[in-house]
């Protein structure tokens, strides 16, 4: 990575912001490899994703005001994982996945004390459906429930897929943008969550 950054004219000009589309693409290629690829595909795509991390760290290392490199990234990650696994590194006990989550969430809450809302830290750039799942979960934690559909509740993930596809087909037939519709409804749900937090 160092050699590429120093000797490749294209790479020398790249910024963190320039890399974002590649990071998104490589992340989705890893997902494709996990869901429908071969072991060789997964190995290759994980390497491509790792390259993005190395590239960002190389750019960061050249920052004149606040440089950090891949070793700093690894050190920060190690410290975080040790804090979030006290049942592994600090003598706490967790015998079930649920108990592990209790330790994880407690450590994360201690790290993020400056957050004022359950919605803080939710990445806005997520695809609308993934964002919806995250926001609905956070909203429930704040006591705000998402609207319930009068339609029959799917009994499996396959039925859920069918129902989502049917909704997208309806949106297309009506000339509606399904992604935008969901994002706009999510903004309303987020406003409800923040109002409930302010009132409590």
């Amino acid at each position: 990575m160092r050699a590429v950054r120093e000797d490749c004219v294209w790479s020398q000009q790249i910024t963190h912001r320039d890399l974002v589309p590649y990071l998104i693409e490589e992340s989705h290629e890893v997902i494709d490899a996990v869901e429908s690829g071969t072991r060789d595909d997964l190995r290759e795509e994980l390497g491509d994703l790792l390259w993005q991390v190395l590239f960002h760290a190389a750019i960061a290392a050249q920052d004149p005001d606040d440089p950090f490199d891949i070793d700093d990234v690894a050190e920060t990650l190690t410290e975080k994982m040790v804090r979030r696994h006290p049942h592994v590194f600090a003598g706490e006990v967790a015998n079930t996945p649920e108990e592990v989550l209790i330790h994880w969430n407690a450590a994360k809450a201690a790290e993020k004390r400056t957050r004022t809302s359950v919605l803080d830290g939710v990445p806005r750039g997520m695809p609308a459906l993934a964002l919806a799942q995250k926001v609905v979960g956070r909203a429930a934690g704040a006591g705000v429930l998402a609207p319930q559909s009068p339609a029959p509740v799917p009994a499996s993930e396959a039925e859920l897929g069918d129902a989502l596809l049917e909704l997208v087909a309806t949106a297309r037939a009506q000339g509606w943008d399904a992604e935008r519709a969901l994002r706009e409804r999510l903004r309303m749900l987020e406003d409800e969550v923040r109002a409930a937090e302010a009132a409590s």
Side-chain angles (χ1 to χ4, degrees), residues 47-172:
D48 291 347
L49 186 58
L50 177 59
W51 182 255
Q52 294 298 306
V53 174
L54 294 169
F55 209 152
H56 278 283
I59 294 167
Q62 295 175 329
D63 187 286
D65 301 317
D66 188 16
F68 61 84
D69 63 14
I70 193 65
D71 292 330
D72 298 316
V73 171
E75 181 179 347
T76 301
L77 175 62
T78 299
E79 290 168 358
K80 179 193 285 188
M81 290 302 107
V82 167
R83 276 194 315 274
R84 292 193 184 178
H85 292 84
H87 55 289
V88 175
F89 299 105
E92 297 289 338
V93 176
N95 294 315
T96 66
E98 293 77 18
E99 290 173 353
V100 170
L101 275 179
I102 290 170
H103 290 302
W104 179 276
N105 290 331
K108 187 172 181 179
E111 293 166 13
K112 311 293 183 183
R113 271 179 246 155
T114 59
R115 292 185 174 172
T116 58
S117 170
V118 295
L119 300 174
D120 290 347
V122 175
R124 306 302 314 154
M126 293 173 73
L129 196 55
L131 180 62
Q133 188 152 345
K134 179 71 79 174
V135 169
V136 166
R138 296 280 180 95
V144 178
L145 299 179
Q148 302 295 310
S149 170
V153 176
S156 67
E157 274 193 14
E159 287 185 14
L160 175 62
D162 290 342
L164 290 170
L165 194 57
E166 183 179 330
L167 286 172
V168 171
T170 299
R172 183 178 178 279

Side-chain angles (χ1 to χ4, degrees), residues 168-179:
V168 171
T170 299
R172 183 178 178 279
Q174 295 293 330
W176 300 332
D177 183 322
E179 179 88 3

